[in-house]
Amino acid sequence: MHHELVLILDFGSQYTQLIARRVREQGVYCEIHPFHLSTEAIAAKQPKGVILSGGPSSVTDEDAPRVENDFYDKAGAPILGICYGMQLVAADLGGTIEPATRREYGHATIKVLSEKTALFDKLPFEMNVWMSHGDHMTRMPDGFHSVATSKDIPTAMENHERGIYCVQFHPEVAHTPLGKEVLRNYLFNICGCKGDWTPASFIREEIEKIRQTVGPDGNVVCGLSGGVDSTVAAVLVHEAIGERQRCIFVNNGLLRYREFEDTLQVYEDNLHLNVTGVDASQDFYSVLKDIVDPELKRKAIGSKFIDIFQEEADRIGDVKWLVQGTLYPDVIESVSLRGASVTIKTHHNVGGLPEKMNLKLIEPLRELFKDEVREIGRDLGIPEMILERHPFPGPGLAVRILGDITPEKVQLLQKADRIFIEELHNFGIYKDVWQAFAVLLPIQSVGVMGDFRTYEKTVALRAVTSTDGMTADWARLPHDFLAKVSSRITSEVRGVNRVVYDISSKPPSTIEWE
Ligand code: XMP
């Protein structure tokens, strides 16, 4: 029931999802599809616009990713080519693209050539933009005119008759300050979009959709994790079918300090979810006993979780549906131009649950990005404590205790971690980092207390900045903050005499230590 749709054909750029987010921020719903979507399929979706993303390839290569031959005539909507997208348009329609002698990467100033341009309508004649390309266009295709240049080379071109618009720079990145305006011109002036897609309209439509999908019989279960995604999904489904949704929140004994108790209370008292809290800590500690290998820890936790979840679902009876908080980045068919990516860790801890239990899925957030989920969560009245909480891995503290897991180590780590997080809030910098946590190392070192030598544990602090967790940098936290955390941990957490700060980026490290 989306009224307006813009399609983004993905040529493998790291910025493709960013284009989608920028378009949606304008209230225009958009979808990302692989570049090889057929023209027929594109036209059948009746898009208001089609955007060709950037990408790492060169159009001069024989096996370069392309659109179908009839695309430019039959897509049925104005086309915007960005970076590689512009070069593809130029190459396909009779222009010339020359391979790079040198990559152009970074800030550039462009000159807008006339007032009669659709893309730069009402924008200044000089703009800062972000470039990231190798090849460049040496001859424009017939029928196009140059509307902006960078160092006298065309950097944007338009063909009004055919409805094709191209920019060499990246309007979607923050380094192009007026990029948003260029996209607005494309969406509203050129494509004629109205911008009627809002979180509130999404919520209304989704609730209706869930009601219709679920129908009148069978129970619905939802596994809550305490995180944003499962909570927002559960609240949406609750709005749709109320008490017929039965939520299960499992304490695996590996959550953060008081997380189980506090979150359960929010679920029950604030959000009025029909939720059963299952404290299975001891079961998890038993299966984890003596396991040291990180992947074996993940497997043991995943399979125990499935057993417990299934037991609870059997108790409920007649369960037909499972609610999952799957997000859009998980469902986009990713374009792999550099070979299949390698699974470094098994992240989908409960993968296989729906198949095993023969359940149908309800995934109300499948079309959304994380920041949209947060916004919708806010509209639904979900407390900030849940919406803004840092991401937390399914296997929890098990992958932050290096070596074997014991309840005592978990308690010690919970205390140290709580101090770290509490101080981030006290200093007002919790939101500045993507994720922050403490790690318990499997080593002891010598310290001194009064007249005595100690031989105790080491805690590592990890804090990173990131936009998606795929890459990350260590957070430059203030020294006085680190000093405060360190002194609180060594004085308040018995058994710890040393605190270190992790200064590794991802890659080559990972965010978690296991
Ligand atoms: P890494 O350590 O791979 O983490 O840089 C990237 C993001 O994924 C989270 N993570 C996990 N999440 N199950 C999860 O649900 C896991 O096994 C797992 N391992 C890592 C991590 O916290 C970070 O946000």
Side-chain angles (χ1 to χ4, degrees):
M1 240 220 307
H2 296 298
H3 315 290
E4 298 178 328
L5 169 69
V6 164
L7 290 181
I8 299 169
L9 297 187
D10 181 20
F11 289 89
S13 164
Q14 54 172 333
Y15 300 133
T16 303
Q17 292 193 22
L18 209 49
I19 303 176
R21 284 165 57 187
R22 292 290 101 83
V23 170
R24 290 186 183 190
E25 277 165 18
Q26 307 294 330
V28 177
Y29 181 72
C30 63
E31 289 176 1
I32 298 174
H33 290 272
F35 65 87
H36 48 70
L37 189 69
S38 70
T39 305
E40 198 182 335
I42 293 169
K45 287 176 180 286
Q46 300 186 320
K48 297 287 282 182
V50 184
I51 300 178
L52 309 178
S53 85
S57 315
S58 166
V59 290
T60 58
D61 289 347
E62 222 167 278
D63 56 356
R66 312 197 97 87
V67 289
E68 289 183 351
N69 287 338
D70 57 357
F71 169 77
Y72 300 100
D73 293 318
K74 301 209 171 134
I79 295 163
L80 174 66
I82 296 177
C83 196
Y84 178 87
M86 161 154 164
Q87 296 172 358
L88 186 68
V89 168
D92 282 351
L93 300 182
T96 310
I97 297 295
E98 304 244 324
T101 45
R102 194 173 63 85
R103 262 193 95 67
E104 184 180 14
Y105 182 81
H107 291 283
T109 306
I110 63 165
K111 282 201 171 69
V112 177
L113 299 178
S114 98
E115 276 175 11
K116 292 204 194 85
T117 123
L119 283 176
F120 299 94
D121 186 35
K122 301 200 175 62
L123 294 182
F125 280 98
E126 212 171 82
M127 283 173 50
N128 288 325
V129 300
W130 184 256
M131 297 280 193
S132 172
H133 62 107
D135 300 347
H136 62 275
M137 184 176 69
T138 48
R139 197 170 67 82
M140 244 182 335
D142 290 343
F144 281 78
H145 58 275
S146 168
V147 291
T149 56
S150 162
K151 300 194 190 97
D152 296 328
I153 297 170
T155 196
M157 61 182 191
E158 301 182 349
N159 182 331
H160 297 286
E161 291 68 43
R162 297 187 75 172
I164 306 177
Y165 302 80
C166 297
V167 290
Q168 181 60 70
F169 60 89
H170 289 276
E172 68 277 19
V173 305
H175 295 304
T176 301
L178 291 173
K180 190 173 138 193
E181 312 305 323
V182 175
L183 286 175
R184 283 184 67 84
N185 279 341
Y186 169 69
L187 294 170
F188 297 108
N189 299 353
I190 298 173
C191 299
C193 291
K194 289 193 284 293
D196 56 3
W197 191 75
T198 61
S201 71
F202 172 85
I203 292 173
R204 259 198 322 275
E205 288 169 19
E206 198 56 37
I207 288 173
E208 193 44 47
K209 217 172 0 180
I210 295 168
R211 261 190 214 126
Q212 283 173 9
T213 313
V214 174
D217 46 43
N219 282 320
V220 177
V221 286
C222 173
L224 290 168
S225 72
V228 187
D229 309 340
S230 64
T231 307
V232 175
V235 172
L236 265 176
V237 174
H238 184 80
E239 298 274 317
I241 59 166
E243 299 288 300
R244 255 179 80 201
Q245 170 184 238
R246 307 281 293 267
C247 301
I248 301 167
F249 181 32
V250 178
N251 184 4
N252 59 11
L254 303 160
L255 302 177
R256 286 164 285 199
Y257 183 79
R258 282 197 57 83
E259 184 167 12
F260 181 66
E261 297 79 359
D262 292 349
T263 314
L264 192 57
Q265 197 174 359
V266 170
Y267 284 152
E268 287 173 338
D269 298 349
N270 301 36
L271 302 174
H272 311 293
L273 293 172
N274 185 356
V275 55
T276 307
V278 185
D279 187 354
S281 307
Q282 296 308 326
D283 294 342
F284 282 88
Y285 296 149
S286 311
V287 296
L288 282 169
K289 196 165 181 310
D290 299 327
I291 298 183
V292 170
D293 180 85
E295 280 303 278
L296 292 182
K297 285 181 186 173
R298 285 188 167 83
K299 288 215 171 76
I301 294 166
S303 92
K304 187 81 220 163
F305 180 86
I306 290 183
D307 289 348
I308 290 172
F309 196 85
Q310 179 140 29
E311 235 171 73
E312 287 305 313
D314 288 346
R315 236 192 286 279
I316 293 165
D318 193 26
V319 172
K320 295 214 165 75
W321 299 91
L322 176 71
V323 179
Q324 280 195 337
T326 317
L327 301 190
Y328 195 45
D330 305 325
V331 300
I332 296 170
E333 193 185 328
S334 61
V335 171
S336 175
L337 298 168
R338 299 190 187 93
S341 61
V342 188
T343 309
I344 298 173
K345 292 174 186 172
T346 39
H347 275 202
H348 296 284
N349 317 298
V350 292
L353 188 63
E355 294 83 355
K356 190 161 176 234
M357 294 175 61
N358 195 19
L359 297 177
K360 289 179 277 188
L361 285 179
I362 304 175
E363 299 177 304
L365 313 177
R366 277 180 75 81
E367 293 172 353
L368 303 180
F369 289 109
K370 190 98 177 178
D371 35 6
E372 294 166 340
V373 172
R374 285 210 175 91
E375 210 175 320
I376 281 163
R378 234 162 246 132
D379 277 15
L380 289 166
I382 296 171
E384 287 298 305
M385 160 200 157
I386 290 181
L387 295 181
E388 289 297 342
R389 190 144 59 190
H390 292 164
F392 189 65
L397 301 184
V399 293
R400 295 176 180 174
I401 295 172
L402 277 66
D404 69 318
I405 315 290
T406 63
E408 296 72 33
K409 288 184 189 173
V410 170
Q411 278 176 21
L412 184 149
L413 183 59
Q414 282 177 334
K415 284 186 195 149
D417 187 74
R418 173 191 168 220
I419 292 172
F420 190 21
I421 300 304
E422 203 170 82
E423 290 300 334
L424 282 168
H425 283 295
N426 290 346
F427 274 69
I429 49 179
Y430 180 79
K431 282 194 191 177
D432 298 345
V433 295
W434 159 267
Q435 213 170 357
F437 53 88
V439 181
L440 183 62
L441 303 189
I443 51 164
Q444 286 179 288
S445 72
V446 174
V448 56
M449 190 158 61
D451 294 335
F452 297 98
R453 276 180 176 271
T454 57
Y455 189 55
E456 291 181 324
K457 296 193 164 63
T458 301
V459 162
L461 303 178
R462 179 76 163 141
V464 296
T465 52
S466 176
T467 48
D468 54 9
M470 301 296 281
T471 61
D473 197 6
W474 60 279
R476 273 45 169 188
L477 297 178
H479 288 182
D480 54 344
F481 165 80
L482 290 171
K484 178 83 187 283
V485 175
S486 162
S487 93
R488 274 197 64 192
I489 290 178
T490 45
S491 67
E492 292 174 36
V493 185
R494 188 174 293 224
V496 178
N497 67 352
R498 197 173 293 275
V499 177
V500 297
Y501 187 54
D502 182 351
I503 51 167
S504 336
S505 300
K506 171 184 181 178
S509 295
T510 49
I511 296 176
E512 302 291 344
W513 275 47
E514 284 197 335

